[in-house]
Amino acid sequence: MQDIKELSLGELEEKLLSWGKPKYHARQIFSWIYQKGSYDFNSMSDLPAALRGILADEFYVLGLSLADLKKSADGTVKFLFELNDANLIEAVNIPTAKRATGCISSQAGCKFACEFCASGLKGFKRNLTSGEILDEVLYLKNNLKDAQLTHIVFMGTGEPLDNYDNLLKAIRIINSADAFNIGARRITISTCGVIPGIKRLQEEDLQVELSISLHAADDNLRSRIMPVNRKYPLGDLIKCCQEYVERTNRQITFEYILARDLNSDYSAAQKLVALLKNLRLAKVNLIPANPIPKSKIIPPSESEVRLFKDYLFKAGLNVTLRKERGQDINAACGQLRLKYEQD
Ligand code: SAH
């Protein structure tokens, strides 16, 4: 049995033609799965019964199952999913008044071992298939009560640009008017700075948003807390971002976790300004760190956060402060999976 969501619309049309069936059924099937949220071919009532039977013999729709679920007082819902090989992944629904953002994992585990992030603590398991990435989106969409799933951020477990082909294949279906129909500008890829992936992305005909997890503006510190910096140091990364902005004319958001006694003092702010001040269309998103087990990472005081933000603002940077959501349910960054695997 194969995951039908691994097929693009064109591939599904080909499949139908190979069975001697009209290809327009592909659009109907897409609509049943991605728009009406059906997991069961037999419920796809406008398809001929014979075709429904063939589909059910060859394919399945949903490849994961729910292993745990946590609801936050602020409406955030975190899902822990079990894949068909028993690996665990997380995805989070973050609703606000009019919209809902789905935070999606791209890999089971993570090989990048950033010091402040819980996702890497158990090492890397494997890439997710495009169908598994779409499973997460489908599940989140079908489990929203009052809101529409309007935004997708690849800020769950794993490094999206380290699973490039499967990521892009899934994003094209998330974006497609025949499927989820979520605008590319509402889809954010977050990377720890995998330069070859950023270079590929700038050549795609897709207006997706790019976030870079920066977290330190000098190479010594960044290499210590984000080992990926040893391979792709800041000078190369910023040059690559410059090229990306010139080529696409799109903004890049730099995510910067603020952690006490690490990267949140005056000199760190100065370095951050120096690093980004000549980069057109750069935005900084400050995130007070979430403490994670077995690490010294804790957030600075509110006044330190405000000082840091004001310094960047006065220096002319476009800066925002992220509101933390779902803290009461370990919603941030691999923490639910971690808790689960430790229990
Ligand atoms: N590998 C990708 C996607 C993972 S999302 C990347 O590195 O961008 C990474 C983001 O998770 C970070 O930028 C940060 O926004 C968030 N994050 C990870 N650990 C955190 C922590 N302890 N506190 C707050 N945010 C954290």
Side-chain angles (χ1 to χ4, degrees):
M1 288 259 270
Q2 201 195 337
D3 182 349
I4 195 165
K5 303 188 313 316
E6 303 258 312
L7 303 188
S8 66
L9 187 69
E11 288 166 343
L12 186 55
E13 288 175 344
E14 290 293 313
K15 191 81 192 171
L16 288 163
L17 291 173
S18 77
W19 292 337
K21 306 285 180 196
K23 68 175 191 179
Y24 72 85
H25 290 317
R27 278 209 160 74
Q28 294 172 302
I29 297 166
F30 257 50
S31 168
W32 277 108
I33 296 173
Y34 298 111
Q35 295 172 349
K36 301 191 192 95
S38 172
Y39 302 147
D40 173 16
F41 295 108
N42 283 316
S43 71
M44 302 183 181
S45 53
D46 56 0
L47 297 180
L51 177 59
R52 282 185 253 158
I54 302 173
L55 287 166
D57 286 343
E58 290 266 327
F59 292 116
Y60 61 89
V61 177
L62 194 73
L64 45 69
S65 57
L66 189 66
D68 195 5
L69 174 146
K70 291 262 180 332
K71 289 187 184 172
S72 161
D74 67 17
T76 302
V77 185
K78 180 150 196 164
F79 300 88
L80 185 75
F81 296 121
E82 186 172 329
L83 304 175
N84 51 23
D85 63 358
N87 274 311
L88 296 171
I89 58 166
E90 302 181 353
V92 190
N93 252 339
I94 310 162
T96 54
K98 291 198 190 87
R99 61 187 236 184
T101 299
C103 179
I104 304 291
S105 293
S106 54
Q107 298 179 315
C110 186
K111 58 176 91 148
F112 288 84
C114 300
E115 189 179 312
F116 47 82
C117 180
S119 294
L121 290 177
K122 296 270 171 167
F124 178 68
K125 305 286 199 252
R126 65 170 174 84
N127 279 332
L128 299 188
T129 65
S130 62
E132 288 167 333
I133 294 171
L134 292 168
D135 273 335
E136 298 176 65
V137 181
L138 193 57
Y139 203 98
L140 293 189
K141 178 183 157 86
N142 289 345
N143 282 276
L144 274 169
K145 293 227 163 48
D146 308 316
Q148 285 281 340
L149 188 63
T150 52
H151 292 71
I152 296 292
V153 294
F154 284 94
M155 294 186 183
T157 306
E159 169 50 44
L161 296 184
D162 190 47
N163 184 16
Y164 192 93
D165 293 328
N166 295 346
L167 175 81
L168 264 282
K169 189 162 191 184
I171 285 181
R172 291 198 185 278
I173 292 180
I174 294 169
N175 181 227
S176 163
D178 293 306
F180 289 115
N181 199 18
I182 295 178
R185 288 197 175 87
R186 294 174 163 197
I187 301 170
T188 300
I189 298 174
S190 183
T191 178
C192 59
V194 177
I195 290 179
I198 300 171
K199 286 190 188 295
R200 279 182 79 181
L201 191 61
Q202 74 193 26
E203 304 303 330
E204 305 281 351
D205 56 343
L206 259 183
Q207 301 271 307
V208 286
E209 297 289 323
L210 179 64
S211 274
I212 309 265
S213 293
L214 191 65
H215 309 317
D218 79 77
D219 274 317
N220 275 341
L221 178 60
R222 194 163 191 271
S223 291
R224 181 155 72 75
I225 62 174
M226 298 181 70
V228 68
N229 193 69
R230 296 171 203 157
K231 191 160 183 196
Y232 304 119
L234 283 170
D236 296 348
L237 179 60
I238 297 302
K239 190 162 155 267
C240 169
C241 290
Q242 215 124 28
E243 273 170 33
Y244 178 93
V245 170
E246 292 318 315
R247 180 103 173 91
T248 63
N249 218 18
R250 291 203 300 269
Q251 173 176 272
I252 298 179
T253 300
F254 291 88
E255 308 285 343
Y256 195 98
I257 291 176
L258 286 168
R260 179 174 295 175
D261 298 330
L262 189 74
N263 64 353
S264 56
D265 63 5
Y266 182 68
S267 108
Q270 280 181 312
K271 286 178 186 157
L272 186 53
V273 168
L275 188 71
L276 297 182
K277 70 171 188 295
N278 294 324
L279 186 63
R280 209 162 58 79
L281 303 179
K283 182 183 141 187
V284 178
N285 189 28
L286 298 174
I287 308 150
N290 264 315
I292 60 167
K294 296 192 190 114
S295 122
K296 292 191 238 41
I297 304 284
I298 46 165
S301 69
E302 268 182 45
S303 67
E304 282 171 298
V305 171
R306 203 170 336 105
L307 275 175
F308 198 94
K309 181 174 178 233
D310 287 349
Y311 182 86
L312 302 194
F313 180 75
K314 285 187 186 129
L317 289 186
N318 180 356
V319 55
T320 53
L321 183 63
R322 186 196 288 175
K323 217 172 117 205
E324 278 300 325
R325 299 283 306 265
Q327 267 176 326
D328 51 333
I329 54 162
N330 298 314
C333 324
Q335 295 186 22
L336 180 62
R337 181 175 140 256
L338 194 70
K339 184 160 175 284
Y340 196 87
E341 291 189 341
Q342 278 171 344
D343 285 349

